Amino acid sequence: LFYGIYSNLDYENNFRFTIAYETQPQKKLPREMEQHLIPPRNYAVFTAKGPLPESLVNTWHYIYGNWLPNSPYEREKGVDLEVYDTRKLGEASGSVDIYIPLKIVRPVR
């Protein structure tokens, strides 16, 4: 597995994208590397299925353009994640999971 981490998101939709692998916490890293500690949160998980990058772009548009504005949730502080399973990336029907940190702001119907 490897991850795409979206951090430093602002109100103008600027963000930082980092490609990452999971490791044990390190005390000392090479200067060209950085460590992200991702705290536990409540996440909505979406799966982008099909050829990349079209399926990813379409899923992101759906999440932020349709699903989130019509849900009882707001985006929580934290990072958005894409989780790539390298065993599935070469497949025409491959998939990538997208994790969005959420908090409930309206009662769920």
Side-chain angles (χ1 to χ4, degrees):
L1 295 179
F2 70 93
Y3 303 87
I5 301 173
Y6 292 83
S7 59
N8 301 333
L9 184 65
D10 66 19
Y11 289 105
E12 296 173 1
N13 291 323
N14 297 307
F15 58 86
R16 181 173 186 194
F17 182 76
T18 305
I19 297 172
Y21 287 89
E22 187 173 354
T23 65
Q24 295 299 316
Q26 304 292 315
K27 290 183 181 182
K28 195 168 187 172
L29 292 172
R31 283 187 8 212
E32 65 275 3
M33 297 182 89
E34 59 186 47
Q35 185 165 241
H36 288 263
L37 299 175
I38 300 172
R41 301 223 184 277
N42 291 317
Y43 288 92
V45 181
F46 299 86
T47 302
K49 293 183 180 180
L52 298 174
E54 296 85 4
S55 63
L56 268 176
V57 170
N58 292 338
T59 304
W60 281 110
H61 284 197
Y62 169 74
I63 294 167
Y64 280 107
N66 189 316
W67 185 85
L68 192 57
N70 295 301
S71 78
Y73 304 99
E74 274 184 9
R75 190 183 178 286
E76 177 71 89
K77 224 178 185 183
V79 299
D80 292 356
L81 300 168
E82 292 174 348
V83 180
Y84 295 83
D85 182 339
T86 54
R87 295 170 298 185
K88 297 179 182 177
L89 287 180
E91 300 174 10
S93 61
S95 63
V96 176
D97 290 329
I98 298 172
Y99 288 70
I100 308 294
L102 298 177
K103 62 181 173 184
I104 296 175
V105 292
R106 294 185 303 273
V108 178
R109 298 181 215 185

